Amino acid sequence: MREEGSDPQAVLEELARIIEKDVKRFTLRALGSMCSKPLPISKIAYLMAIESNLGDPGVWGGVARLEREVIEGLGTLLSNPRAVGAIVSGGTEANILALWAARNYTKKREVIVPASCHVSFYKAADLLGLKVVEAPLKRDYTIDVDFVRRNITKETAAVVGIAGTTALGAVDPIEELSELALEKGIYLHVDAAFGGMVLPFLKELGYKVPEFDFKLDGVCSITVDPHKMGLAPIPAGGILFRDDEFVRPIAFETPYLAGGGVRSFTITGTRPGGPIAAVWVLLRVLGRRGYREAVRECMRLTEMLVRGVEGEELELLMRPVMNVVGVRAKRLSVREFSMRMKRLGWLLSEFPTHLRVVLMPHHTEELVKELLRDLKRAALRDHVELRATLKA
Ligand SMILES: Cc1ncc(COP(=O)(O)O)c(C=O)c1O
């Protein structure tokens, strides 16, 4: 920090120059991110509530009301309008909260997760002192439920199912996990951080979609992130619990607050109200139809990509269930394929078995065409072939 302040206009211009490049990169060639480009109206809402603190809802009662309405909206989408929950910093915090609730509710210390689960579950287990049992995946990249059944012990607190895996958008058989959880008396958490705002709309569009939400009696909590497919600005993760009985074991009173004592069950104390205002506005402005149309368009682009990934050079890991596509080059290592795509200017996510492309609402048909052209170029066996096509 300098001794004297600088000219505000000059500082803002410098800031704009620094940020502009990131925004361009994200909007144009970053097809590896699961985050939304926020709708402009959500940014206005965010700014309107930027001073608010959800950690002190007695003072910020208006925004607290918005949060209740957002949770009711997301709960309704996921078949439980009476769900109890919060808008938190992201899917990571939501998953930590779920395992925290599961541990305290059951007073047990083991969790079974699919090998496809997000790293946040390992963070949660480390923080909470839980032993992780990793269930292998079947050939369709979903959890092996027989393994889960065989590995439930008297110490098992919870099992986790994913509705929209990070790597491939695969959906675990949540219905089977729900039956198992009910039979064995264990907690079932569903991580629908990405899929929670895709699957209900896919269903409305006529796709065959497996049940994954509170309609299934064994589901105790769900992560659903508006900052992923909800078109909301970061940070807007979401955690929903079926019932208050799961929240009580992680709820703390903060009696000293200016607005009066409150019960809090999030990790953070002070919480921004801006993202909540943003999500509230989006749910109202878009409605189910708006989200459905966004998902329809993402799936149209997904189908375009899928149709294009055919032939000699490229292959899909699996037929996508949602707008997440795993692709690899038949004759190259993933590392080499990824490096080449980077050199061609693309920012895709690299997994051990494939590159991930996420088709988000702000992506365009033009972009998918360019991507396909470059995927095919990059997948050519050797540099000589690649250089020849780049010169062409
Ligand atoms: C399925 C899933 N769960 C949780 C997360 C973590 O979300 P966040 O990065 O918002 O903490 C991700 C991130 O991509 C995810 O794909």
Side-chain angles (χ1 to χ4, degrees):
M1 199 192 294
R2 294 174 194 154
E3 177 61 24
E4 298 297 331
S6 309
D7 171 46
Q9 188 60 29
V11 174
L12 286 181
E13 279 167 15
E14 188 181 343
L15 173 68
R17 275 197 304 279
I18 296 169
I19 292 176
E20 198 189 352
K21 275 195 196 140
D22 290 357
V23 175
K24 262 199 195 133
R25 202 181 300 123
F26 173 73
T27 311
L28 291 180
R29 294 206 136 195
L31 283 94
S33 174
M34 284 186 152
C35 286
S36 284
K37 181 172 174 59
L39 276 200
I41 193 167
S42 69
K43 296 195 258 184
I44 297 171
Y46 194 117
L47 281 179
M48 284 169 75
I50 200 160
E51 293 179 22
S52 61
N53 170 17
L54 251 293
D56 199 352
V59 174
W60 300 97
V63 184
R65 182 189 130 192
L66 297 184
E67 185 176 44
R68 284 194 297 277
E69 292 182 13
V70 163
I71 295 303
E72 191 187 333
L74 294 176
T76 306
L77 186 67
L78 301 178
S79 309
N80 181 9
R82 289 151 53 95
V84 184
I87 295 300
V88 293
S89 57
T92 298
E93 184 179 347
N95 287 337
I96 293 171
L97 290 172
L99 291 200
W100 186 17
R103 186 196 70 178
N104 288 9
Y105 183 75
T106 61
K107 301 191 175 54
K108 294 178 179 174
R109 292 194 164 260
E110 275 180 28
V111 55
I112 306 180
V113 300
S116 56
C117 77
H118 185 257
V119 63
S120 48
F121 289 102
Y122 297 96
K123 287 188 190 177
D126 194 32
L127 284 165
L128 295 163
L130 297 173
K131 177 182 162 199
V132 179
V133 177
E134 198 180 279
L137 305 183
K138 295 180 300 183
R139 289 169 67 88
D140 64 359
Y141 300 98
T142 66
I143 191 169
D144 181 344
V145 181
D146 290 336
F147 176 94
V148 177
R149 177 180 285 282
R150 289 196 305 276
N151 284 274
I152 291 173
T153 69
K154 58 181 185 351
E155 264 313 300
T156 306
V159 60
V160 170
I162 320 283
T165 59
T166 308
L168 287 166
V171 180
D172 286 328
I174 308 294
E175 198 162 349
E176 284 178 58
L177 291 178
S178 168
E179 278 163 23
L180 192 56
L182 289 173
E183 181 192 322
K184 302 282 185 183
I186 55 177
Y187 187 106
L188 171 59
H189 173 63
V190 175
D191 181 0
F194 188 83
M197 294 194 80
V198 181
L199 292 167
F201 303 112
L202 281 181
K203 195 173 187 179
E204 290 177 6
L205 289 167
Y207 287 77
K208 210 167 155 278
V209 169
E211 298 293 354
F212 75 100
D213 64 15
F214 290 114
K215 201 174 279 167
L216 303 171
D217 291 336
V219 175
C220 302
S221 53
I222 301 180
T223 291
V224 51
D225 291 352
H227 73 202
K228 295 199 169 64
M229 276 296 284
L231 296 154
I234 297 166
I239 180 69
L240 301 185
F241 293 94
R242 171 179 291 278
D243 198 280
D244 201 55
E245 67 172 320
F246 299 118
V247 177
R248 265 178 254 136
I250 58 166
F252 285 78
E253 294 294 328
T254 23
Y256 64 84
L257 293 168
V262 291
R263 185 181 82 144
S264 152
F265 57 89
T266 52
I267 291 173
T268 51
T270 297
R271 280 195 298 138
I276 287 152
V279 178
W280 185 84
V281 162
L282 286 167
L283 298 184
R284 291 284 280 270
V285 167
L286 291 172
R288 287 184 97 106
R289 184 196 297 275
Y291 279 111
R292 194 163 58 236
E293 291 313 311
V295 168
R296 189 201 299 275
E297 179 58 12
C298 290
M299 290 311 287
R300 191 178 74 80
L301 297 184
T302 302
E303 292 298 332
M304 227 180 109
L305 183 63
V306 165
R307 278 195 306 276
V309 178
E310 273 171 0
E312 300 282 293
E313 311 296 342
L314 298 167
E315 66 186 351
L316 294 172
L317 266 267
M318 65 170 221
R319 194 166 166 83
V321 181
M322 55 185 79
N323 44 327
V324 180
V325 183
V327 58
R328 67 180 161 213
K330 285 187 191 165
R331 301 185 292 173
L332 292 181
S333 70
V334 178
R335 193 83 268 273
E336 176 62 24
F337 189 35
S338 174
M339 297 285 285
R340 291 185 186 185
M341 286 305 285
K342 265 198 194 112
R343 260 181 260 132
L344 290 170
W346 296 94
L347 296 167
L348 309 178
S349 300
E350 183 182 327
F351 288 84
T353 48
H354 64 280
L355 299 186
R356 178 189 76 178
V357 181
V358 188
L359 283 317
M360 296 296 287
H362 60 277
H363 292 144
T364 61
E365 196 173 310
E366 222 25 67
L367 191 67
V368 176
K369 281 185 189 154
E370 270 179 49
L371 174 73
L372 267 169
R373 190 200 58 204
D374 283 352
L375 282 170
K376 285 178 184 165
R377 277 177 169 179
L380 294 172
R381 188 186 358 226
D382 51 43
H383 288 282
V384 183
E385 267 183 311
L386 177 63
R387 244 177 268 127
T389 56
L390 286 178
K391 271 190 201 141

